[in-house]
Amino acid sequence: MAFDSTFVDIPVDRLHAVAQEKHDEGFRFVQMLCRMADPGIDVIYTFMKDGAVENYALRSVDSETQAVPSISDLFMAAFANENEAHDLFGLNVEGIVIDFAGAFYDVAVDKPMTVLSPAQKAARDKAAKLAAAKAARAAKAKEEPKTQAASDASKGVPAAPAPKKTVEEQRAAMEARVVGMDPEKAAKVRAAFEARVARESAKDGE
């Protein structure tokens, strides 16, 4: 059988409503997965009915400031995944039907799945430094023209002239100005513009 899988991001406050919808539509709960994100924790819920597999993701949940509602009142089997998420990732799940209160697993360290290996920490620190350096370069590149213009102005250096618009650009700007104008007046404006273009063209050809 071929399965039709979908992935949808939802906010935390929509989780229980979505689970209620899936329950009422006859879906069964398959799994709840957690993974470390940067920042926070991504939590993915999977529901299945016939050949449809629907995944709903909570992105970058901050376990220190956010609570995730339990769906075990709708899908009893979810209590095991929710206790596991609490013990291994520190996810704050509220209202679990069977709540082990942190004793579902006997772990040696708190939130073991959030502990970074030296290699992971080094890679994350490197990525953060590269991102900061890129942002700094972009900010510098954006400010350099302004700084140069200010420096030139203080020295009395005239500002570089703005690039001259092409005839087509000028014509487009003119047409934008005459939109909604009295047709007779608009025709005069167009005629004056074309006459000026002809004069400048003849002058350039001398």
Side-chain angles (χ1 to χ4, degrees):
M1 176 185 289
F3 293 99
D4 182 18
S5 297
T6 59
F7 288 83
V8 180
D9 290 357
I10 60 172
V12 172
D13 59 10
R14 278 277 297 146
L15 172 62
H16 198 271
V18 169
Q20 182 72 63
E21 291 171 7
K22 297 302 104 183
H23 177 272
D24 295 346
E25 291 170 5
F27 279 74
R28 64 184 178 86
F29 170 76
V30 177
Q31 63 182 358
M32 167 191 176
L33 295 176
C34 292
R35 68 177 185 184
M36 289 301 297
D38 189 12
I41 303 167
D42 286 347
V43 190
I44 302 171
Y45 296 79
T46 303
F47 303 92
M48 183 176 178
K49 179 182 178 182
D50 301 326
V53 179
E54 298 186 6
N55 301 277
Y56 296 88
L58 312 180
R59 300 294 183 185
S60 298
V61 177
D62 183 348
S63 59
E64 298 297 325
T65 61
Q66 288 182 287
V68 174
S70 171
I71 63 169
S72 59
D73 59 322
L74 300 169
F75 299 97
M76 184 67 173
F79 88 90
N81 295 111
E82 292 172 341
N83 277 283
E84 180 180 73
H86 173 271
D87 290 8
L88 300 186
F89 288 86
L91 189 70
N92 182 14
V93 185
E94 290 186 336
I96 306 176
V97 172
I98 303 176
D99 192 345
F100 281 73
F104 192 70
Y105 284 112
D106 183 11
V107 294
V109 296
D110 187 38
K111 299 180 287 187
M113 295 303 292
T114 66
V115 177
L116 297 177
S117 69
Q120 289 173 315
K121 187 176 186 307
R124 182 168 292 189
D125 290 345
K126 182 179 179 180
K129 288 179 180 178
L130 289 173
K134 183 178 180 180
R137 288 196 300 271
K140 183 179 179 181
K142 187 176 180 181
E143 289 299 322
E144 278 179 349
K146 297 179 182 178
T147 303
Q148 185 61 48
S151 176
D152 290 345
S154 67
K155 296 175 184 177
V157 178
K164 186 178 180 180
K165 291 183 178 179
T166 66
V167 172
E168 290 305 319
E169 289 173 331
Q170 295 177 49
R171 183 175 286 109
M174 179 271 297
E175 289 293 344
R177 288 197 301 273
V178 300
V179 172
M181 189 180 291
D182 176 77
E184 185 176 346
K185 187 174 181 181
K188 291 179 179 179
V189 171
R190 291 190 180 97
F193 173 81
E194 296 301 338
R196 179 174 62 79
V197 169
R199 287 196 303 271
E200 291 179 354
S201 179
K203 184 177 179 181
D204 291 341
E206 292 178 354

